[in-house]
Amino acid sequence: MRVARTVLIVLVILGGLFVAADRITVSVAQNKAADRAALTQGLTSKPKVSIEGFPFLTQALSGKLDEVKVTAKDIAAGNGGQTLRIDSFHADLHGVRLSDGYRRAVADSADGLAFLTYADLTKAAPAGITVSSAGDAKSEDGGALVKLTGTFMGAKLSVLSEVTVRGADSIGLQARTLPKAFTALGLDDQVRQQIDFTRPLTHLPAGIALTSITSTPDGLSVAAGGKHVVLAN
């Protein structure tokens, strides 16, 4: 009985040490992964990386992590002088394969969500255009709508614009209809050149593509997903 009790105590101590070692190791790995992800994606601030599942050590030894969660904030995005800031981005990566001495991490699949504020959309819009919530207005197909206001040739302009995914990495805003006053004067093309625009979202993981957009009172929620998504390289 005394021997069994001693063995049990030893096993409990060893188990505790293993858990402690595992948690310390995963903490170090998460920090290093965040550094690599920031470098790979060209981020100005380090994201938060959370490696899910227990134990971590056995996952690392197998070279594949079951699930990794990544959260990044304040992502500057865009090119050609047109900048669209991403307020926040969260991604769940599944089946993350490790290679090159744990420097490279590629997920079998991933899904994510980016959030864009109306203030940042306004900054990315053509000069003189303000982007805001469309309130309760809904498009016929349930797509995302926003309200655009500004001036054109000295006259006030207010339209509802539909926001859609353009390709794998961009969103586009296009007015559903134009005010009759401008249409009657044959100014449709000129007005659209000022209020319809497309902006890219960059610095997101390679392999992930935008899939859908939902409007909220505070901004746009942009869903994304993909396969063979690169977290670190």
Side-chain angles (χ1 to χ4, degrees):
M1 182 67 70
R2 182 175 299 173
V3 172
R5 184 180 302 163
T6 301
V7 171
L8 180 59
I9 292 173
V10 171
L11 290 176
V12 169
I13 293 174
L14 290 176
L17 291 174
F18 174 78
V19 171
D22 188 82
R23 294 301 87 190
I24 292 172
T25 305
V26 75
S27 179
V28 173
Q30 288 173 164
N31 187 57
K32 290 185 177 297
D35 287 334
R36 288 296 301 173
L39 180 63
T40 300
Q41 313 306 335
L43 303 178
T44 56
S45 58
K46 188 164 68 173
K48 178 181 178 181
V49 175
S50 177
I51 300 173
E52 305 296 300
F54 178 83
F56 162 73
L57 290 172
T58 56
Q59 294 184 69
L61 289 173
S62 72
K64 188 173 184 178
L65 307 177
D66 296 335
E67 184 175 5
V68 176
K69 297 180 182 293
V70 179
T71 300
K73 295 184 179 294
D74 191 18
I75 304 173
N79 57 26
Q82 299 293 348
T83 300
L84 177 53
R85 172 182 171 273
I86 301 174
D87 185 69
S88 64
F89 176 73
H90 176 81
D92 292 328
L93 298 96
H94 314 286
V96 180
R97 299 178 183 276
L98 306 173
S99 60
D100 191 23
Y102 302 115
R103 292 171 57 85
R104 178 174 170 81
V106 180
D108 291 340
S109 64
D111 51 84
L113 200 63
F115 187 75
L116 315 172
T117 68
Y118 290 124
D120 287 319
L121 285 164
T122 296
K123 291 179 181 178
I129 296 298
T130 298
V131 183
S132 59
S133 171
D136 296 329
K138 302 292 183 183
S139 66
E140 295 180 356
D141 60 0
L145 290 179
V146 295
K147 182 180 180 181
L148 268 61
T149 54
T151 58
F152 182 78
M153 296 180 64
K156 291 184 178 181
L157 177 68
S158 179
V159 299
L160 289 179
S161 186
E162 187 160 12
V163 191
T164 57
V165 171
R166 304 280 178 86
D169 64 354
S170 300
I171 66 169
L173 280 72
Q174 183 173 22
R176 293 197 304 174
T177 59
L178 298 178
K180 293 180 180 179
F182 297 110
T183 299
L185 295 174
L187 298 174
D188 287 20
D189 289 344
Q190 293 93 320
V191 173
R192 286 196 176 278
Q193 286 176 9
Q194 178 171 336
I195 64 175
D196 292 346
F197 63 97
T198 299
R199 296 290 182 266
L201 306 185
T202 59
H203 300 302
L204 296 180
I208 202 164
L210 308 182
T211 56
S212 63
I213 304 174
T214 303
S215 56
T216 77
D218 300 314
L220 299 178
S221 183
V222 185
K227 297 182 182 300
H228 308 299
V229 177
V230 180
L231 172 61
N233 197 5

